[in-house]
Amino acid sequence: MAVAPDERSAVLTRTRTLKMARSVHAYVRGNTAQFYEWLEASPIAASIPAGPAVWICGDCHLGNLGPVADADHRVDIQIRDLDQTVIANPAYDLIRLGLSLETAARSSDLPGVTTAKMVEAMIDGYLRALTPSVEDDPREPDVVRSVRRKAIGRRWRHLAKDRLEDVEPSIPHNKRFWKLDRAERDAIVALFADEMVRARSLELAGVAGKGRLRVIDAAYWRKGCSSLGRLRFAVLIGVSDGKAKEERLALVDIKEAVPSVVPTTQKGAMPQDPAERVLAGAKALSPNLGHRMIAARLLDRPVILRELAPQDLKIEVDQFSRKEAIAAASYLSFVVGEAHARQLSDSTRLAWRDTLAARDGDLDAPSWLWQSIVAMAGAHEVGYLEHSRRFALNG
């Protein structure tokens, strides 16, 4: 499929609008900027505690957590998308994750009382991550256990079948992958010829010194929701040690890095370049992913390169049961809590734990968290219906 660069914007804008109209859960995932605008404008904003300044995900929803392989193919459940990462209040990640879980529960026709129990479970899981004396992790829910097992058993052939529709060394042109123009392909070839990018790519591939790397194929990748409209390329490369004739194939995701929409705590402490910021946040929050990423520039824009590992999967939830929803809330909040806690000194971590453990109502969770999730759920329900109406009128 050929879509000229100057035609992409209109196509991708419509695609993004369609994706966000599919459900309120999809709308939440693609609506990061307005989430923070609505949160800051909400009366509850003043009651959100000022947590310690740490790297946060910034877009901490259900789909951005899942199995992530490290350089040695070991799999852990970590944050898997760091486009919006900044140094900021960790409470934002809790609120955004809570909203995502709430909309997933509502999409599963679960009653409101389940949401209340999920918020309690979130705080329980997060506090466990902040408490060094607690040795038992929250129970891994079935929805996480099943995707982890699937991830561990995956190899290159599975990735190729999923992404490329074949194991042959080429990228098909279809609804997902669009043909490049000559300038884009030349720029990608030049990027992998850059000394820093080439050396780092070979290092990540486990090939030192005089290894060979070549670009086999590349395409524009229509992928994601909030990232639609930015530069996004899939690049198939071949890597060898310079001795053997056989190449190891790798699929590299190149994504444009843009300024974050998340309110920051220590703007001066972060790299000014968006790609360097994403890389720094990834290393702090999701080491498995961060140590596999490269910050660079392509077509005069900051980009992040990441080899796609067969084990990297997102958690997909079509339907939650009540029990699964509560278990997922506890476990995924624990994962986020670990990502925050590893950046904190013992004293700061325990002080933040004590702040979150304080109760000011009947709910076994801080009232600011409950009220923030409720306020954001209401705002997003209204926003979703208006978005759907505009889409229907313009569709």
Side-chain angles (χ1 to χ4, degrees), residues 158-304:
H158 300 105
L159 177 65
K161 284 287 187 182
D162 288 349
R163 302 298 192 185
L164 308 180
E165 301 175 0
D166 204 342
V167 295
E168 294 300 317
S170 65
I171 299 176
H173 295 151
N174 51 33
K175 291 182 178 180
R176 290 189 299 168
F177 298 114
W178 298 348
K179 188 175 180 180
L180 302 180
D181 65 15
R182 183 60 180 266
E184 289 172 325
R185 182 173 177 84
D186 288 348
I188 289 172
V189 171
L191 174 65
F192 281 93
D194 176 85
E195 184 176 349
M196 182 279 291
V197 173
R198 178 183 176 281
R200 180 68 177 134
S201 298
L202 290 173
E203 179 187 350
L204 290 173
V207 179
K210 299 181 180 179
R212 290 198 304 259
L213 183 154
R214 69 184 182 100
V215 174
I216 298 172
D217 203 358
Y220 185 90
W221 197 355
R222 192 190 74 168
K223 188 177 187 296
C225 184
S226 57
S227 64
L228 285 174
R230 307 179 197 169
L231 290 185
R232 191 77 183 263
F233 300 105
V235 184
L236 185 64
I237 64 172
V239 177
S240 69
D241 61 7
K243 300 175 182 177
K245 292 183 179 181
E246 290 188 0
E247 293 180 314
R248 183 176 81 81
L249 299 179
L251 186 62
V252 178
D253 180 8
I254 300 179
K255 183 193 291 190
E256 181 180 355
V258 297
S260 176
V261 300
V262 184
T264 61
T265 302
Q266 295 181 356
K267 191 171 183 179
M270 299 184 299
Q272 295 301 302
D273 180 81
E276 295 290 349
R277 170 185 54 78
V278 170
L279 180 59
K283 287 181 177 179
L285 289 161
S286 184
N288 286 14
L289 193 58
H291 292 115
R292 290 167 36 208
M293 296 166 67
I294 302 171
R297 294 193 71 83
L298 175 66
L299 297 170
D300 202 31
R301 300 190 200 179
V303 294
I304 285 288

Side-chain angles (χ1 to χ4, degrees), residues 61-139:
H61 62 71
L62 184 60
N64 279 347
L65 294 149
V68 179
D70 66 11
D72 297 318
H73 307 294
R74 290 186 294 264
V75 175
D76 297 293
I77 307 298
Q78 293 183 354
I79 299 169
R80 55 186 302 279
D81 191 313
L82 285 303
D83 289 358
Q84 292 294 327
T85 185
V86 291
I87 295 176
N89 187 349
Y92 292 152
D93 275 355
L94 280 170
I95 297 169
R96 187 132 177 83
L97 178 59
L99 172 65
S100 174
L101 289 164
E102 187 276 338
T103 55
R106 296 291 284 165
S107 296
S108 299
D109 292 326
L110 295 175
V113 67
T114 300
T115 298
K117 294 296 184 183
M118 287 168 64
V119 176
E120 293 179 347
M122 280 182 62
I123 286 297
D124 176 70
Y126 191 87
L127 291 179
R128 284 172 182 257
L130 298 179
T131 308
S133 60
V134 175
E135 296 181 358
D136 59 320
D137 298 350
R139 183 182 70 82

